[in-house]
Each structure stands twice: as C-alpha cells, then as structure tokens.
Amino acid sequence: MYYLAVDIGASSGRHILGYVRDGKIEIEEVYRFKNGNVKRNGHLCWELDRLFDEIKNGMKKCAELGKKPAYMGIDCFGVDFVLLDKNNEILGDTVAYRDSRTDGMPEAVYAKIPYDTLYARTGVQTQRFNSIYQLYSIKTTSDNLEKAERYLHIAEYFNYLLTGVQKNEFTMTSTTQMMNLETKDFDTEILSTLGFPSKIFTKPEMPGIVVGKLTDSMQAETGLDCTVLLAPAHDTASAVMAVPTTEPCIYISSGTWSLMGTVLPKMNGSLAGRDAGMTNEGAHDGQIRYLKNIMGLWIIQSIKKELHDEYSFGQLCDMAIASEYPGKIDVNDDMFLAPESMLDAIRTYLAQKGEAAPEALGDILHCVYHSLAQSYGETVREIESITGNAYDAIHIIGGGSQDNYLSQLTAEYTGKAVYAGPIEATAIGNLMMQMLASGELKSIDEAKATVSESFPIIQIQ
C-alpha cells in the first residue's frame, strides 16, 4: 500500500511516496518544486495558486508511475493562513511570515492583552510573525477580517481544495499564539479582546483523522482516488514524530529553522521558560513540543543565494572549517530575519559589538557555524534548568542532519551524544501518521523502531 506525503517548505516542496516492505519503511521522492516569496502590492507573499498546481502535478506524477497512494497528507510551515469569504474565495494577498507588516504589532496587541497573560494562556513565545500579529495587522489595515467567514492555515487550505472539507488542525493551530493549550482550542477570550470574530475558527482536530476523499473533479484531474488524512500539519510536528527513539531526548529539527526542544506531557508556562524564549507547541499525540525557534541554516542559505549559488554548501562548509575567526553573532537577532544582504547584516552586527572585522568569506561562515552551535549549547542548558530534566542525547533530524561539521560542533558545544538522521524526517513523520491511521503500523513505539531500522542514523563521535 502506498502513502503520499506532500511536504511544503519555505524554499521547496516535494512529494514523497512511502510504503512498508519487509518490516522497513521505504520512501521515494517522485516530484519536487520550488517555493519562495514574491513581491505583491508591496508585501512578501506566497503563490498559492502555483503551489496548488504543483501539488496536483506531483499527484499526477504518482498516477503516471502507476504508484497510486491509498492515503495522502500535507504538512507545511507554520503561522501563515488565508481568510475566506462567503464564497470560499481568498480575501487579499496571502502575505508571508517574513514580511514587515507585523512590525509594531506585538506592542499593539500587548496594549490590549499583557504578554504575561498571553504567554500564560498560550505558552507561545513572542515572534513578530506569529499568526496573532498577522491577523491584528489585517484588522488594523483593511476590512478583510470583517468579510471573513473562515480562517485556514496553508496546509488546511490545500486540504480543503482537495476534498471540499474545511478543518483546523491541532499542531498548526498551536503555533498561532491564539490557542489555549489547556483546552486545545482557540482561546475565545483572546479572540474577543482583539476583535477577532470567533465564527471563522473551528476547534482544531487531532492528526490521524480523515479529512475526506478527493472530490470528483480532483480525482478526474489527478488520476488518483485516495483519502486525505490530517497529518501533523505543522512540519516540525511531523519531523519530531520521526525522532527515532522513545527515550527522553533533545531534538533539533534542522533546516531553514533550527527547532530545538523536547517533548513534555503538558505545557510548561513558567516565567523562566518565557524569559528564555521557550515556546509550547502541539505534538502529534496531544503532548507538547517544548522548544526554542533558532534562526538555523537560513543564514547560510541566504549567504549562498546572495553569492548567486557560486559555491555549494560543501564548499561553504570547507571555508568555515579553514577559518579561525573568533567573533560570534546572536543568530536570533531580528536583523537576520530578512535582510537585503545577509553578509552586510553580519558585518554590521559584528562591528556594532566591537568584534574584529571578518577578512574573508570563510571568517563569516566560521562565525555563523560556531554561533549556531553556541546557541544550541545555551538552549540545552536552558531546557534542562527549566524542566529539571537531564538529557543524554541530542537527535538532529531533517536536512541539516547532513551537515557533519555542524553536528560535530553541536556535540562540542553541548557536551551531549549527538545522533544525526533521518534526513527526510518531516515527510517520514507525515507518512508514519498515515501508516498508523491505516493500521499498518500498530503503535508509535513500533513506528519509531521501524524508522530506526529503516534509515541511517549516524552517531557523531
């Protein structure tokens, strides 16, 4: 039986087929497409029409190959959403989280709801791109919120286009800073205080349930007749599901962002956690991913793009290794979120901090690598202090797990055993949920053991 994971990241998307054979999960990438922001009406926006065309193209590819999935699920980046009108048409542009429209919005929200109160109810750290601030920006600059009949996150919207069924999902909703993690529902007091109409939100559903069958028109267009399941829609929730151990551990979902944390049975709303920038997000089973958002490989990806892809990631890494530059940056500083020039932003930061000017590209790359690993070390110590738990191991999952140099630096700066893999953790977690929902895998313990047997997991010495 085939399963299809549609995994949409900020820079690319892919369709990965999975199946179980001889007790192992086999995966096959059948389609890949580019993603990114475009400038529209002065804002950074997502091209949803094109992305949905790409989703259908990948589905058609499955049909052409004769590998037709019985189930499929979609995961995506968090916080971004669409508002639909009474005709289920999108209101306005679908603005991306890196856009500047939320500048000043956290302060405007706090004037109505103090941050202490907001954190106590949602457990979510302040990041200016959170859904709550995006929605408040819409409320203060247009009448689209007044016209809205439904609020759907990007993955939920694509599920709707495939099936005609509209559902909000738990792991994605938990990133919005509008969900009460005690009730696992949108917080009506927060919504009413900010003037958000409660009618546009529905109680989030847990991953694993059926969204619906493909509509007749989708079946005709794609050549598939499959059931859409609710995957852990937030890509990090899918990735963390694929951590190949049942033992308590620290994970780093490593890609454009580094999401570093652990899984807890319930929300930790402590002041220490709040002050450390820790956030509480939903896991696939209703538990809590207690984590910190770290800027991650975005900085290196941006440098590579700024250099017109003249160098491979391997070549950039070699330059970093060859340097001994001592300066560090705070990788989570807002100036690295979406600068016009990442290289200039790093040089400016270092100059402002009184660090020696980097003389070569390798110096900047060395600085970024060691600054990331230093951030990992600080975060491990914060998590252990706040939770009172000690962890022996760090599991690095996702595309960043291929970066052996960063993995080695992580072991050095954290003092922990480091395990790298699986690489395709997000898609694998998406597939695991489908396999559990279908009954082909019987339990999460069996699923994690199967992942451990199916994919290379490298221990960093």
Side-chain angles (χ1 to χ4, degrees):
M1 183 188 297
Y2 286 107
Y3 306 84
L4 175 62
V6 181
D7 173 27
I8 305 173
S11 58
S12 67
R14 52 267 182 95
H15 292 59
I16 295 184
L17 281 171
Y19 56 94
V20 178
R21 182 172 65 184
D22 298 330
K24 293 185 177 182
I25 297 173
E26 303 280 351
I27 61 173
E28 174 187 355
E29 182 181 301
V30 296
Y31 192 74
R32 179 178 286 264
F33 55 93
K34 291 184 178 180
N35 192 17
N37 301 151
V38 296
K39 270 290 182 73
R40 186 176 294 152
N41 299 319
H43 294 284
L44 295 174
C45 298
W46 299 112
E47 301 175 284
L48 291 196
D49 289 344
R50 183 184 65 79
L51 289 179
F52 189 59
D53 284 342
E54 295 286 22
I55 290 173
K56 292 185 291 184
N57 288 341
M59 295 168 68
K60 292 174 189 176
K61 185 67 173 179
C62 293
E64 290 170 10
L65 294 171
K67 298 178 178 181
K68 298 185 177 183
Y71 298 94
M72 66 176 290
I74 300 176
D75 66 75
C76 194
F77 43 84
V79 306
D80 287 346
F81 57 87
V82 298
L83 296 176
L84 302 182
D85 66 14
K86 62 183 179 181
N87 298 316
N88 290 316
E89 298 292 333
I90 294 177
L91 290 159
D93 295 321
T94 306
V95 179
Y97 62 84
R98 291 190 189 275
D99 186 73
S100 62
R101 69 170 172 172
T102 51
D103 288 353
M105 288 300 109
E107 293 77 14
V109 167
Y110 299 155
K112 292 181 173 291
I113 307 175
Y115 177 45
D116 288 1
T117 302
L118 200 58
Y119 189 83
R121 298 180 75 89
T122 68
V124 175
Q125 69 169 140
T126 294
Q127 300 212 79
R128 68 170 178 82
F129 50 70
N130 287 350
S131 312
I132 190 172
Y133 309 121
Q134 295 196 47
L135 205 53
Y136 200 72
S137 173
I138 292 172
K139 176 179 170 55
T140 56
T141 58
S142 77
D143 60 356
N144 285 338
L145 193 56
E146 297 174 15
K147 298 176 182 177
E149 294 293 330
R150 283 294 278 119
Y151 168 101
L152 294 174
H153 300 107
I154 303 298
E156 299 162 355
Y157 174 65
F158 290 144
N159 284 341
Y160 159 64
L161 293 182
L162 290 171
T163 66
V165 179
Q166 298 176 350
K167 289 183 181 294
N168 290 127
E169 185 270 345
F170 170 66
T171 67
M172 189 66 83
T173 304
S174 71
T175 70
T176 64
Q177 213 172 357
M178 296 186 291
M179 190 176 87
N180 187 310
L181 277 177
E182 296 293 334
T183 65
K184 294 181 171 59
D185 197 356
F186 285 98
D187 192 305
T188 55
E189 186 172 335
I190 291 172
L191 300 181
S192 62
T193 300
L194 297 178
F196 300 163
S198 59
K199 69 176 183 178
I200 68 175
F201 307 95
T202 60
K203 184 174 177 61
E205 304 273 7
M206 295 301 297
I209 70 163
V210 170
V211 178
K213 298 282 288 184
L214 295 182
T215 63
D216 291 343
S217 62
M218 282 297 109
Q219 291 181 37
E221 184 173 356
T222 64
L224 299 183
D225 176 14
C226 65
T227 298
V228 178
L229 288 174
L230 207 59
H234 188 222
D235 49 10
T236 309
S238 278
V240 170
M241 192 173 176
V243 171
T245 181
T246 57
E247 296 297 319
C249 69
I250 300 285
Y251 58 79
I252 304 175
S253 181
S254 181
T256 301
W257 290 90
S258 291
L259 294 309
M260 186 172 190
T262 191
V263 175
L264 299 177
K266 62 180 182 179
M267 182 177 103
N268 183 315
S270 67
L271 295 179
R274 179 202 67 186
D275 294 343
M278 301 300 298
T279 198
N280 294 262
E281 297 178 356
H284 69 277
D285 55 0
Q287 294 194 88
I288 300 301
R289 291 177 291 114
Y290 189 60
L291 60 88
K292 177 178 281 191
N293 290 274
I294 300 169
M295 198 71 76
L297 296 175
W298 160 254
I299 300 177
I300 295 172
Q301 292 166 353
S302 297
I303 291 172
K304 183 175 184 292
K305 182 178 180 181
E306 189 173 338
L307 297 171
H308 307 290
D309 295 319
E310 180 181 351
Y311 303 102
S312 68
F313 285 114
Q315 289 172 317
L316 295 175
C317 184
D318 288 343
M319 292 181 204
I321 293 171
S323 170
E324 296 183 358
Y325 178 77
K328 301 282 199 312
I329 59 172
D330 176 1
V331 294
N332 294 315
D333 193 286
D334 277 351
M335 68 188 301
F336 304 124
L337 186 63
E340 290 293 327
S341 166
M342 186 63 76
L343 291 170
D344 286 348
I346 292 170
R347 292 188 185 101
T348 299
Y349 182 96
L350 291 168
Q352 290 175 347
K353 297 297 181 181
E355 299 278 7
E359 297 180 0
L361 177 59
D363 293 343
I364 291 178
L365 293 164
H366 186 274
C367 167
V368 173
Y369 268 102
H370 281 260
S371 298
L372 271 173
Q374 178 175 276
S375 180
Y376 297 163
E378 292 167 353
T379 302
V380 166
R381 290 185 285 276
E382 288 168 345
I383 291 172
E384 291 188 328
S385 174
I386 293 164
T387 64
N389 300 327
Y391 299 93
D392 296 327
I394 296 174
H395 283 263
I396 303 177
I397 54 176
S401 67
Q402 300 172 91
D403 193 321
N404 291 332
Y405 182 49
L406 184 55
S407 295
Q408 290 165 1
L409 290 177
T410 301
E412 176 184 326
Y413 277 83
T414 64
K416 306 289 185 183
V418 172
Y419 299 87
I423 296 167
E424 295 288 359
T426 303
I428 292 167
N430 184 328
L431 293 168
M432 287 166 67
M433 179 54 73
Q434 296 179 52
M435 293 169 180
L436 287 165
S438 75
E440 186 156 6
L441 295 177
K442 305 303 182 186
S443 68
I444 188 61
D445 285 1
E446 179 189 353
K448 285 179 174 288
T450 304
V451 169
S452 185
E453 290 294 320
S454 303
F455 303 99
I457 311 297
I458 300 170
Q459 182 171 1
I460 306 301
Q461 301 297 332

